[in-house]
Amino acid sequence: MGRKRIGIVSAIDDGNDAALRYLILHLNTLQSGFEFEFLSPDPTDPLIRMLTRGELLDREVVRTECEAFRQSMRRRFRALSSAFGTKEEEPPDCLVLLTKATLADNFYSLRHHGVSIIALGNWQRWMAPPSILEFVLTLTVREAIAAVSPRLRDSVHLGTKGCVGDVTPVLSDVRQKVMSSYLCGYCRRALEEDGVSNLIPDVEVMLCKSWIGTADDSSSPAGVVSALGHDLFIVKGLEPTAWEHVRSTLRRDGTQQLLTLLQTTLAAVLIAGLIVALGLK
């Protein structure tokens, strides 16, 4: 069996999402069981419009649009493939939508007809660490698991174990499984019973965040993301605040820039004071 293709559709319109895309696509280099790819949505699609208009949404109403969206994306994929002359691949069967939508029942995801929706509208900065990008990574892996295991497609176990299969009905509780990110015995057995035990090592390597590395190592994913303007150990949200930007710059460029700035400022103040004192203004 070849890699299970997972189509990622981003409906998060926060400008520069290069760091998010890089981290998700980097998962392709860690294992061989899953293949993640970004797909371009039609901004006029009813589901995309529904998920981006900033309203509190009924989960069941959203669910009714999933099948039409999947079919629309398949037609769009084939049309673009024909236009660009790239006809080797069919569109992926599984689609994961990354959104800032808010579901009225406080759930943060739903799955229907091969479409998974991750709704991050209730995420707050106080939930970090981990950063929202790490939230997205773990939840994306969770949807990949659901795509290959019928037993893990619906809600799994109620107890919060720090397992990717934890139900955690409230988004703030997801912190535990994002930070711990392991596969419990129940979920392991489910994958084995579904005949995909060979994917367990792939899931584990994606969940283990050690591959992220450190922002100080420019060759690590964290270092690359830092160069893209998103320090995973400082920036909490999708975009850095002004203070987070300053801290990231200091971490990346060291304190020399700050010292140079302070020296320049101090010199300017002294010169201004001298001019006033000598009556030269």
Side-chain angles (χ1 to χ4, degrees), residues 9-14 41-66 69 73 95-104 107-110 115-121:
V9 180
S10 178
I12 298 175
D13 54 353
D14 278 64
D42 179 356
T44 66
D45 182 274
L47 181 58
I48 295 294
R49 293 175 65 181
M50 180 187 297
L51 294 171
T52 55
R53 64 191 180 199
E55 299 176 5
L56 200 62
L57 299 174
D58 185 312
R59 193 154 53 106
E60 296 309 312
V61 172
V62 174
R63 193 186 302 275
T64 62
E65 296 290 337
C66 287
F69 173 77
M73 283 297 297
L95 298 175
V96 178
L97 273 80
L98 309 178
T99 79
K100 290 177 65 181
T102 305
L103 302 178
F107 276 63
Y108 54 86
S109 66
L110 67 87
V115 176
S116 296
I117 296 175
I118 296 174
L120 297 167

Side-chain angles (χ1 to χ4, degrees), residues 16-35:
N16 182 16
D17 63 349
L20 174 62
R21 288 175 178 261
Y22 168 76
L23 286 174
I24 291 178
L25 294 180
H26 190 78
L27 296 175
N28 292 335
T29 71
L30 303 176
Q31 43 73 47
S32 58
F34 300 90
E35 187 169 74

Side-chain angles (χ1 to χ4, degrees), residues 128-194:
S131 71
I132 195 171
L133 296 194
E134 292 170 270
F135 267 76
V136 174
L137 275 176
T138 299
L139 296 179
T140 298
V141 173
R142 172 67 183 97
E143 298 312 315
I145 294 171
V148 298
S149 174
R151 284 173 173 78
L152 299 182
R153 199 154 291 163
D154 297 320
S155 296
V156 186
H157 44 74
L158 187 59
T160 299
K161 309 175 186 179
C163 170
V164 69
D166 288 350
V167 172
T168 54
V170 181
L171 188 61
S172 58
D173 292 339
V174 184
R175 295 177 75 185
Q176 301 304 320
K177 69 179 179 183
V178 174
M179 289 188 289
S180 298
S181 292
Y182 91 110
L183 204 58
C184 73
Y186 180 93
C187 291
R188 285 171 175 274
R189 288 192 298 273
L191 289 169
E192 290 168 357
E193 292 167 5
D194 283 332

